[in-house]
Amino acid sequence: MEVLRTVEELRGWSRSRRRAKDGGAQRIGLAPTMGALHAGHVSLIRAARAACTDVAVSIFVNPTQFGPHEDFARYPRSFEADCTLAEAEGVDVVFAPAVEEMYPAGAATFVEVEGLSDRLDGASRPGHFRGVATVVAKLFVAAEPDLAFFGQKDAAQVAVVKRMTADMRLATEIVVCPIVRDVDGLALSSRNAYLSGEERRQALTLNRAVRRVEELVAAGERRACALIAQAGAIFAAEPEVRLNYVVLVDWATLEPVEIAVAGTLFAVAAWVGSTRLIDNTILS
Ligand code: AMP
């Protein structure tokens, strides 16, 4: 496994792999991450490994997607362990650029997905999705992947990245992988490392709300107001957990819907202590 630090090296790797075999059989896969890899990331890597001939994982804690008072400085970083894990999973390349490599001095170009960027997490984290769209666009331009792998866990991010990819006419296909959860249902997240024992228990409120809504939909409830009220009641029973949003939206536009249909996104975000967590389900 190679560790590459510059965009030029990543582009060189991708292009040389594409030339490596005749007949257009190469499929280059990219899984963008911020590191502190866990089983959720591993699921992306495995999906990439299964679908692609060549797999790159980027590890980059992207400063532009953090707000000024957010956790950029203390975000967990475990580069050595991440590389060990990536290598064991058969990753060909880890791309781990310095901030100045992705944002050269004077960088003034950003990608803004209008509308979508202000919804869900974008509403409480201004500039977050601008940072995400910008770094993903840069990674796609550098790696020229055929397939890029994202987790449903960050469902609004998926909507933003899909819109950006379609609008920019990029050739990369977005593959969405299911949410990987702990045995008790908590969605895996690098930020779970911030939780105390008691907060870890409180954090289950998000999944409880998600499961409640799944049950209600399975029982025939389709009205957004009823589903959101029931989810809200679950949060009300756990007052230490501060609800940020509970929504039922169209997964492509992130616009609220009144009636849930197959493919509607139910999503929640909440603060547990000072840690902001998210969870969701795609209704069937
Ligand atoms: P992050 O390192 O948190 O930016 O996440 C990198 C990628 O891994 C994103 O596409 C996430 O949606 C995905 N991911 C993170 N946690 C999970 C999870 N529990 N299950 C599936 N994918 C995940």
Side-chain angles (χ1 to χ4, degrees):
M1 188 183 80
E2 283 181 273
V3 176
L4 305 181
R5 299 284 182 181
T6 69
V7 166
E8 197 180 331
E9 286 170 341
L10 181 61
R11 184 173 293 131
W13 169 77
S14 173
R15 291 188 176 175
S16 73
R17 292 312 300 153
R18 212 174 278 293
R19 282 195 302 269
K21 286 184 193 143
D22 306 318
Q26 289 317 95
R27 276 162 88 76
I28 307 223
L30 172 69
T33 83
M34 299 205 298
L37 300 184
H38 52 63
H41 300 112
V42 169
S43 75
L44 268 49
I45 293 172
R46 290 188 180 167
R49 196 62 280 172
C52 301
T53 53
D54 300 271
V55 174
V57 171
S58 60
I59 296 179
F60 180 62
V61 185
N62 173 35
T64 64
Q65 71 188 69
F66 289 79
H69 306 294
E70 292 184 354
D71 56 343
F72 174 71
R74 69 175 189 127
Y75 193 84
R77 289 163 171 88
S78 55
F79 188 66
E80 296 305 320
D82 290 352
C83 285
T84 305
L85 183 56
E87 181 147 38
E89 291 294 332
V91 168
D92 298 298
V93 155
V94 164
F95 178 55
V99 170
E100 310 75 57
E101 178 65 15
M102 296 307 277
Y103 298 98
T109 306
F110 291 87
V111 178
E112 178 93 37
V113 181
E114 291 184 1
L116 283 186
S117 284
D118 300 326
R119 297 185 189 129
L120 278 68
D121 310 282
S124 49
R125 303 183 70 190
H128 170 66
F129 285 130
R130 179 171 109 133
V132 169
T134 300
V135 80
V136 171
K138 285 175 185 245
L139 289 168
F140 284 8
V141 166
E144 300 176 346
D146 297 287
L147 301 174
F149 297 80
F150 291 85
Q152 182 200 311
K153 198 219 143 223
D154 297 85
Q157 169 172 284
V158 166
V160 168
V161 167
K162 281 188 168 174
R163 184 77 258 160
M164 183 274 288
T165 307
D167 289 353
M168 309 257 293
R169 308 297 227 144
L170 299 178
T172 301
E173 182 185 327
I174 307 303
V175 181
V176 183
C177 300
I179 302 177
V180 177
R181 300 179 178 282
D182 240 328
V183 278
D184 57 6
L186 182 67
L188 295 188
S189 162
S190 305
R191 289 192 169 96
N192 291 351
Y194 299 148
L195 301 173
S196 69
E198 171 60 11
E199 289 170 347
R200 175 70 184 66
R201 186 196 66 72
Q202 293 169 356
L204 287 172
T205 314
L206 284 86
N207 184 236
R208 215 174 292 136
V210 164
R211 278 189 288 120
R212 180 81 185 114
V213 164
E214 285 174 341
E215 284 162 14
L216 288 164
V217 170
E221 182 60 82
R222 292 282 185 276
R223 295 167 303 156
C225 55
L227 295 167
I228 288 169
Q230 290 283 326
I234 298 220
F235 280 94
E238 203 57 76
E240 298 282 296
V241 177
R242 284 180 301 125
L243 187 58
N244 177 196
Y245 65 69
V246 46
V247 293
L248 210 66
V249 296
D250 179 288
W251 195 9
T253 64
L254 303 182
E255 302 227 35
V257 299
E258 285 181 13
I259 298 292
V261 296
T264 299
L265 168 66
F266 171 77
V268 294
W271 284 276
V272 179
S274 58
T275 305
R276 187 174 175 283
L277 300 175
I278 56 176
D279 201 347
N280 70 78
T281 184
I282 306 299
L283 298 176
S284 51

